[in-house]
Amino acid sequence: HAGAESDGIRYHLYIERATEKDTNVDYDAFLELIKSRRTIRAIKTDPVPDEVIEKLLEAARWAPTGFNMQPLEMVVVKDADLRVAIKDIIDQYKNSDFFALEATREEWQGSPWTMETHGRLDSPLAPVNILILGDTRRRVGLPMAARCSRQKGDSIFESSLANPFMYMWLAAHSLGLAAQPVSAVKYPKVQGLVKHLLNLPDYIWIYDLFLVGYSAMEEGGPSAKLMRRLDEMVHHDRAADDEFMSEEELHKQIRKLRAGNVARHVEAE
């Protein structure tokens, strides 16, 4: 334990180690956990015990961060009025600005998503909202080469939040919880309104929002997922001139993925 409190200033740091238990995890079980994870958009309003939420937060805390600067902050929102207010802010954006921007999509991708084709994009009123935040002041601890390069600094900072985001999601899935990320919270209008609602300072950036609860979907296992083949994604040594997809092949696959064709778990053609 390093650190103390002086004149009301907190700077506690703790030296923590993993347990000495065998850290070899069954790969097949681990892969199955990854393969069966899905975004669940139907979430019950039933409460989730605090000790279960604590496990998600602890998993996220141990995620790797760039140069161990640990910019992660998390806000757990269970207050009903605040959850409704956050939902209203996000739903208003998704059912107006989102569709307006979709109308500008390139014609080769097919018909743009509209309110008529996809209906309202309302978020479920999950019993727990967890906001993944980043304290931008911690970027000062990065190497000077990263501090002097906006692109490099942004990459390290966002990776340091993406890692705990994924750790938390997998932890939720391992505990039988449904989780839906709401990336709309990143947009300036939504971000500003949510930060104001929760009294978050300017130097805090909202990376994402997790809606967490128990699934309201019918039993039957995870839905099928349209996937690219591994040998299409992995490349070795020096690339051949035709190593990557042509524009025509890429456009065809993007159209198929956008169409949401997940009738069975097969490779994209």
Side-chain angles (χ1 to χ4, degrees):
H1 174 199
E5 185 165 339
S6 176
D7 298 327
I9 299 175
R10 295 169 294 172
Y11 56 103
H12 296 288
L13 292 173
Y14 300 86
I15 298 174
E16 296 190 43
R17 295 181 175 86
T19 62
E20 295 182 2
K21 296 179 181 178
D22 185 358
T23 56
N24 291 323
V25 177
D26 181 75
Y27 174 77
D28 291 337
F30 175 65
L31 183 61
E32 192 57 37
L33 176 72
I34 294 172
K35 290 171 66 176
S36 59
R37 182 216 52 79
R38 296 289 185 275
T39 298
I40 306 297
R41 294 181 172 84
I43 300 177
K44 296 178 180 178
T45 57
D46 300 356
V48 180
D50 289 343
E51 57 269 24
V52 175
I53 296 300
E54 186 78 15
K55 291 180 178 180
L56 308 189
L57 306 177
E58 180 66 3
R61 184 172 76 95
W62 280 96
T65 61
F67 298 91
N68 200 30
M69 283 298 101
Q70 303 177 52
L72 176 67
E73 304 285 342
M74 296 173 282
V75 175
V76 179
V77 180
K78 299 179 73 174
D79 178 85
D81 291 339
L82 289 177
R83 287 187 288 115
V84 169
I86 293 172
K87 172 180 164 58
D88 288 346
I89 292 170
I90 291 170
D91 288 351
Q92 182 180 11
Y93 161 77
K94 291 199 297 185
N95 291 299
S96 57
D97 295 17
F98 177 86
F99 285 123
L101 288 170
E102 276 297 306
T104 68
R105 186 175 292 278
E106 299 90 338
E107 290 185 5
W108 66 260
Q109 294 196 42
S111 301
W113 295 344
T114 66
M115 183 83 75
E116 289 71 28
T117 60
H118 283 68
R120 287 183 58 85
L121 299 178
D122 292 343
S123 301
L125 186 60
V128 182
N129 290 7
I130 303 178
L131 288 109
I132 309 294
L133 315 176
D135 188 334
T136 60
R137 298 173 301 173
R138 289 183 176 268
R139 293 175 61 140
V140 74
L142 297 177
M144 293 306 297
R147 289 177 58 185
C148 294
S149 168
R150 178 67 179 271
Q151 183 179 19
K152 180 66 173 177
D154 286 349
S155 175
I156 294 173
F157 184 72
E158 291 203 34
S159 294
S160 299
L161 300 173
N163 292 335
F165 169 85
M166 198 67 246
Y167 274 35
M168 181 181 292
W169 201 347
L170 288 174
H173 180 44
S174 75
L175 294 167
L177 293 173
Q180 178 191 345
V182 184
S183 59
V185 78
K186 292 182 179 181
Y187 290 96
K189 176 181 178 181
V190 179
Q191 177 125 181
L193 291 173
V194 172
K195 286 177 65 172
H196 176 73
L197 176 69
L198 300 180
N199 195 34
L200 301 176
D202 287 344
Y203 52 79
I204 289 295
W205 182 64
I206 305 177
Y207 174 77
D208 219 310
L209 165 65
F210 257 133
L211 306 181
V212 179
Y214 295 105
S215 176
M217 297 179 66
E218 295 182 2
E219 297 293 333
S223 60
K225 185 176 181 180
L226 197 61
M227 296 292 297
R228 293 174 62 195
R229 297 193 310 267
L230 183 63
D231 62 0
E232 178 187 288
M233 303 171 73
V234 178
H235 310 274
H236 299 279
D237 302 325
R238 185 175 172 82
D241 291 341
D242 60 350
E243 183 85 11
F244 300 95
M245 281 187 174
S246 67
E247 290 294 313
E248 182 180 357
E249 292 170 327
L250 181 66
H251 285 188
K252 180 181 178 182
Q253 194 173 93
I254 288 175
R255 285 196 300 268
K256 188 167 185 178
L257 290 170
R258 285 195 69 246
N261 180 12
V262 292
R264 62 188 194 283
H265 196 91
V266 296
E267 295 86 1
E269 297 177 353

